[in-house]
Amino acid sequence: MYKNVIILGAQWGDEGKGKIVDLLTKKSSYVVRYQGGHNAGHTLYVNKKKIILHIVPSGILHDNVVGILGNGVVISPIALINEIYSLEKQGIFIKDKILISENCFLVLPYHVHMDVSREKSSEIDIIGTTKRGIGPAYEDKIARRGLRIGDLRNIKQLEIKLKEILYYYNFQLINFYKSNPVDYNSVLSEILDNAPFLINMIADIPEILHSAIKSKKMLIFEGAQGTFLDIDHGTYPYVTSSNSTAGGASIGSGIGPLNFDYILGVFKAYSTRVGFGPFPTEVFNKLDDYFCKQGKEFGSTTGRKRRTGWLDLIMLKRAICINSFSGLCLTKLDVLDYLQDIKICVAYRKNHDIISTTTPLFIDNWNEVTPIYETLPGWNVSTMGINSFSDLPYAAKNYIRRIEEILELPIHFISTGPDRKHIIILNNLFDI
Ligand code: IMP
């Protein structure tokens, strides 16, 4: 049985990871977020009740599981606290079972203000961010001027740092973005109000994880966003600001790469992306309406309509290479139920003639590729909620087997609907 498992998206996020994390954490002791912040949106259906999580790790809904926010996560104090209280209103109490690293960087109001001002200021450089301040918070981390959770323990020193940071931010906001400055006192009072709550959650995360590994406890590492939103390996600059690929799990939690023994790549039976950037298999009009309606493809963080398209196996091949996936989880199979024909992208045509089976690596070259499709027959019957592979219609089985054949990797889970129970487990590697 595998003990330390990374679960992450193989596309542009929103692959339905939350549900799989929730399923696999049934038997685990800890669920660890290692990158991103409250830009993520993980939707879960528990007993037909819809629960959306942003920064709180998905697996925490099980009583036995402690949630961890590793050093790679950026934390908006107010967003985290509001999420915890909003879960309490739904009868879910997690306050005493979340631990955070003192090295997590803070997302504060000036980050949000900067994110929003930038997205407004230019039509050329617009990324379509979630406007949650995530990019500026990571910028501060790399520029070595950021404030961390640990800084909350020394308010005198924090006040000095905050003054300098705001001098820097307000200079840019006023002079470059022609925007309003951020008020020092209001940011400080927000920090002071929330500091005690957060200080209570601080723990030595690498040590806790090492001890858990020694005592053979199961750990789940939960990725946010997806492979092609990774700051290094995604479709830069149309990416998020953290390493959402598997390597991020080690860096963002503080345990070495040899501690992981299974990496699950989650992908949708088709593709979606939110925000701007390359999307070779994107579809429009009627088909886009179909995917959006059947797949409820509206962002759980911003409510934005997602762009939709066919499944791109060339991108998935690249995702397998970057993440060294051990196996795959195909989600939202049921969304394809009423399509006559189903396309999968099996190669790219570059500059109208050269055939390529790898993705471009540089942004300019994405415009040069067009997808080459293989068309498979649809099944025109509901697969919603099916629990066993043998109960799937022949054409659906064929679709799944063809994907495995091209990717040369097994699919270990198939999600056939939104509920926890709507799942086919093809190989019970986790004793669930
Ligand atoms: P940021 O992470 O808010 O800076 O946004 C950068 C890009 O990542 C934008 O295209 C967002 O739409 C996208 N993004 C961020 N978080 C998610 C997510 O959880 N799912 C899908 N896209 C996301």
Side-chain angles (χ1 to χ4, degrees):
M1 290 301 150
Y2 293 112
K3 287 287 179 195
N4 301 323
V5 179
I6 305 174
I7 301 173
L8 72 120
Q11 295 160 312
W12 282 288
D14 309 311
E15 295 90 352
K17 302 175 287 290
K19 170 180 159 171
I20 306 302
V21 171
D22 175 63
L23 179 82
L24 293 191
T25 27
K26 259 195 332 201
K27 291 227 167 148
S28 74
S29 304
Y30 295 100
V31 58
V32 186
R33 275 278 307 268
Y34 52 85
Q35 46 75 225
H38 64 303
N39 49 348
H42 296 151
T43 308
L44 300 162
Y45 288 85
V46 182
N47 301 329
K48 301 213 167 115
K49 212 162 110 188
K50 184 173 172 179
I51 296 169
I52 300 180
L53 301 173
H54 297 286
I55 185 146
V56 167
S58 308
I60 205 164
L61 301 185
H62 295 282
D63 291 341
N64 54 308
V65 179
V66 171
I68 286 184
L69 300 179
N71 57 279
V73 176
V74 287
I75 298 181
S76 155
I78 218 153
L80 175 61
I81 295 170
N82 284 346
E83 195 166 322
I84 291 172
Y85 284 137
S86 118
L87 285 170
E88 281 190 7
K89 279 193 199 133
Q90 298 173 72
I92 301 164
F93 298 89
I94 56 157
K95 193 172 147 208
D96 299 326
K97 50 184 211 130
I98 291 204
L99 302 174
I100 57 183
S101 162
E102 57 202 317
N103 287 343
C104 289
F105 282 80
L106 295 172
V107 185
L108 291 165
Y110 47 90
H111 296 125
V112 180
H113 199 24
M114 183 62 85
D115 201 355
V116 173
S117 303
R118 277 198 194 134
E119 289 280 306
K120 259 202 245 159
S121 74
S122 158
E123 292 206 344
I124 307 162
D125 296 331
I126 189 168
I127 303 293
T129 72
T130 57
K131 297 189 180 140
R132 297 292 189 271
I134 304 298
Y138 278 111
E139 273 172 57
D140 281 1
K141 168 178 177 170
I142 301 302
R144 291 168 290 192
R145 69 172 159 256
L147 292 175
R148 298 193 273 183
I149 293 281
D151 285 308
L152 299 175
R153 287 190 296 221
N154 186 344
I155 293 297
K156 280 277 154 281
Q157 204 177 297
L158 182 142
E159 283 174 0
I160 299 166
K161 288 186 189 171
L162 182 64
K163 267 195 190 127
E164 266 180 43
I165 293 169
L166 280 184
Y167 178 72
Y168 170 82
Y169 268 84
N170 284 339
F171 184 84
Q172 286 188 66
L173 285 169
I174 297 166
N175 297 304
F176 189 79
Y177 293 104
K178 310 286 176 226
S179 183
N180 295 327
V182 174
D183 178 52
Y184 168 81
N185 287 321
S186 77
V187 178
L188 183 65
S189 77
E190 188 181 312
I191 293 174
L192 295 178
D193 285 351
N194 298 319
F197 192 103
L198 297 170
I199 289 170
N200 267 335
M201 294 177 175
I202 292 177
D204 182 339
I205 304 300
E207 182 54 32
I208 289 173
L209 296 179
H210 275 285
S211 310
I213 291 166
K214 264 195 196 159
S215 33
K216 307 226 175 314
K217 290 184 174 159
M218 186 174 179
L219 310 177
I220 299 288
F221 294 81
E222 171 180 348
Q225 289 82 46
T227 297
F228 293 98
L229 288 177
D230 182 282
I231 184 79
D232 284 287
H233 298 289
T235 48
Y236 186 94
Y238 302 99
V239 290
T240 192
S241 302
S242 59
N243 284 114
S244 48
T245 45
S250 174
I251 303 284
S253 66
I255 59 165
L258 290 180
N259 286 306
F260 302 100
D261 44 27
Y262 182 98
I263 304 173
L264 182 67
V266 184
F267 71 100
K268 261 189 249 206
Y270 51 99
S271 306
T272 62
R273 95 170 279 174
V274 202
F276 297 95
F279 189 171
T281 62
E282 184 167 16
V283 298
F284 302 94
N285 306 321
K286 266 193 176 164
L287 196 49
D288 179 44
D289 292 344
Y290 174 91
F291 282 133
C292 265
K293 194 163 164 239
Q294 299 294 323
K296 301 193 175 57
E297 295 298 351
F298 295 90
S300 36
T301 299
T302 58
R304 285 179 292 176
K305 178 198 162 308
R306 296 177 183 141
R307 297 157 66 194
T308 69
W310 294 113
L311 182 63
D312 188 336
L313 296 183
I314 300 308
M315 295 197 74
L316 285 188
K317 276 189 177 176
R318 178 73 77 188
I320 291 168
C321 156
I322 296 167
N323 296 297
S324 52
F325 290 141
S326 320
L328 298 167
C329 168
L330 185 157
T331 63
K332 293 196 157 187
L333 179 73
D334 55 299
V335 172
L336 304 185
D337 282 351
Y338 297 104
L339 290 170
Q340 206 64 34
D341 293 313
I342 300 170
K343 289 185 184 177
I344 47 178
C345 170
V346 291
Y348 290 149
R349 198 179 298 284
K350 262 191 191 165
N351 289 329
H352 305 295
D353 49 3
I354 307 161
I355 308 290
S356 168
T357 51
T358 55
T359 63
L361 291 173
F362 193 72
I363 188 69
D364 295 354
N365 306 112
W366 280 97
N367 294 332
E368 297 163 2
V369 302
T370 47
I372 298 175
Y373 290 112
E374 190 172 299
T375 303
L376 301 169
W379 40 92
N380 206 26
V381 63
S382 173
T383 60
M384 165 78 95
I386 288 183
N387 289 120
S388 147
F389 190 77
S390 57
D391 292 344
L392 288 174
Y394 174 80
K397 286 182 192 158
N398 184 44
Y399 180 71
I400 292 158
R401 292 303 180 214
R402 184 71 185 125
I403 293 168
E404 284 181 317
E405 186 178 45
I406 295 172
L407 296 179
E408 299 178 75
L409 201 65
I411 292 175
H412 287 152
F413 299 90
I414 300 165
S415 168
T416 55
D419 200 85
R420 260 183 186 169
K421 295 182 203 118
H422 299 159
I423 190 93
I424 300 172
I425 301 173
L426 284 157
N427 192 337
N428 198 351
L429 299 164
F430 307 94
D431 190 25
I432 43 174

